[in-house]
Amino acid sequence: MDIALREVHDSDLPVFYRQLNDPEALRMAAFTPEDPANRDAFDAHWAKIRATPGIVTRTVLGDGDVVGHAAVYGQPGEREVTYWIDRAYWGKGIATTALRALLAGETERPLYARVAADNAGSLRVLEKCGFEVTERVTSYAPARKAEIEELVLRLDA
């Protein structure tokens, strides 16, 4: 599958909204909006992201189809990466390829990432891209309505 990143288009947002509301993906991601089905809140969130200087957000394409998104955000010295890949495409190397492409365009280091400790797939993606676990914390995960273990990772090079 050919993986590419591009600017986010308005037409991508309904796809992102559908992906965000997949119950299994929500549970795995864990750290999600309190009410992912609130379309007004979703639209306001994306409008803010797209209008904020310094946030790099890209649509992930697989063979030309929208399969997710990836971003770098935060203040210098504290910038973090995030990504979301449609569950139908999990386990195909798409997240790793997309994250590597995103990182190639982001020269600032260190970069950080966070992941639910039991999200083995996402942890594997981050480690393949050079991130290392630096901390274990307990955080509230809205998608699970509970405190869970979260890993903080750091990329230096």
Side-chain angles (χ1 to χ4, degrees):
M1 177 173 287
D2 181 44
I3 307 303
L5 302 182
R6 67 154 164 76
E7 296 283 332
V8 174
H9 297 167
D10 292 344
S11 61
D12 300 336
L13 298 179
V15 179
F16 296 167
Y17 179 75
R18 178 187 53 76
Q19 292 169 346
L20 178 66
N21 282 282
D22 175 312
E24 188 175 334
L26 278 168
R27 186 187 181 299
M28 190 59 63
F31 302 99
T32 62
E34 287 288 337
D35 181 7
N38 182 331
R39 184 58 192 253
D40 290 339
F42 172 88
D43 289 339
H45 175 73
W46 273 96
K48 181 179 177 183
I49 288 171
R50 294 173 74 192
T52 303
I55 295 180
V56 178
T57 306
R58 298 290 180 259
T59 295
V60 179
L61 301 173
D63 289 337
D65 294 327
V66 176
V67 298
H69 56 84
V72 180
Y73 65 95
Q75 301 302 314
E78 299 176 6
R79 289 179 66 74
E80 210 169 303
V81 300
T82 186
Y83 53 89
W84 190 286
I85 301 297
D86 188 309
R87 185 167 52 95
Y89 296 93
W90 289 0
K92 299 175 189 276
I94 294 169
T96 302
T97 301
L99 184 56
R100 284 183 178 146
L102 183 71
L103 294 171
E106 179 65 34
T107 58
E108 183 180 327
R109 300 292 185 268
L111 289 174
Y112 297 90
R114 295 174 170 270
V115 63
D118 61 357
N119 186 340
S122 195
L123 178 59
R124 189 169 48 252
V125 166
L126 292 162
E127 289 176 334
K128 283 181 182 180
C129 291
F131 284 83
E132 295 180 359
V133 175
T134 59
E135 191 176 358
R136 292 176 176 269
V137 298
T138 300
S139 302
Y140 180 75
R144 299 185 192 180
K145 297 182 180 10
E147 296 274 329
I148 67 167
E149 187 177 25
E150 180 180 26
L151 304 177
V152 179
L153 297 93
R154 179 177 166 138
L155 175 67
D156 287 311

